[in-house]
Amino acid sequence: MTDGEIWRLCHRDEVVAAIEVRSRDFPWTYGRLRPLPGFEHFRPLFVARNAALDADDDEAMMRIDDEIGAALTLARPDGSRVAEFLLGVEDDEAGFRWLDEPVTDE
């Protein structure tokens, strides 16, 4: 992964935002969010996630992360989608981490 890479946030087959990578602090990657018109529908989820984070409400954060994961997918610069991800957005900044394999309870 290199700075300047563009990752895409998708809802179904529509790209709703692009994230230009600026830095990494393993396992997190940080970048500039470039929202597209379809993103505004999902922005309230990220506002709620930030509020839960500020309140140290882990249960609410996990619920919101599940909602984000159910509604959106994260695609690498080559277009392939990651199996699972966590994404935080504040204004035009994004931080994300991902897994190539889905997490199971087994």
Side-chain angles (χ1 to χ4, degrees), residues 26-95:
F26 185 80
W28 288 90
T29 300
Y30 300 97
R32 180 173 175 252
L33 181 81
R34 295 182 192 164
L36 298 169
F39 181 78
E40 294 310 314
H41 176 77
F42 302 102
R43 191 177 292 277
L45 285 172
F46 295 100
V47 171
R49 186 183 191 280
N50 291 338
L53 179 66
D54 290 344
D56 271 341
D57 188 342
D58 292 339
E59 186 175 309
M61 261 195 49
M62 289 189 310
R63 187 185 74 254
I64 295 163
D65 284 338
D66 287 346
E67 289 179 45
I68 291 169
L72 301 167
T73 57
L74 183 64
R76 295 178 182 85
D78 68 6
S80 62
R81 296 186 178 183
V82 302
E84 293 200 25
F85 67 96
L86 294 176
L87 172 65
V89 170
E90 189 164 351
D91 299 322
D92 68 345
E93 297 297 318

Side-chain angles (χ1 to χ4, degrees), residues 90-105:
E90 189 164 351
D91 299 322
D92 68 345
E93 297 297 318
F96 64 94
R97 61 186 289 180
W98 78 97
L99 295 171
D100 287 325
E101 299 292 327
V103 174
T104 60
D105 292 333

Side-chain angles (χ1 to χ4, degrees), residues 6-26:
I6 305 294
W7 288 61
R8 289 167 183 78
L9 190 62
C10 304
H11 173 66
R12 299 186 181 127
D13 289 328
E14 175 190 5
V15 177
V16 297
I19 302 169
E20 180 182 356
V21 172
R22 294 202 171 157
S23 66
R24 287 164 305 287
D25 185 10
F26 185 80

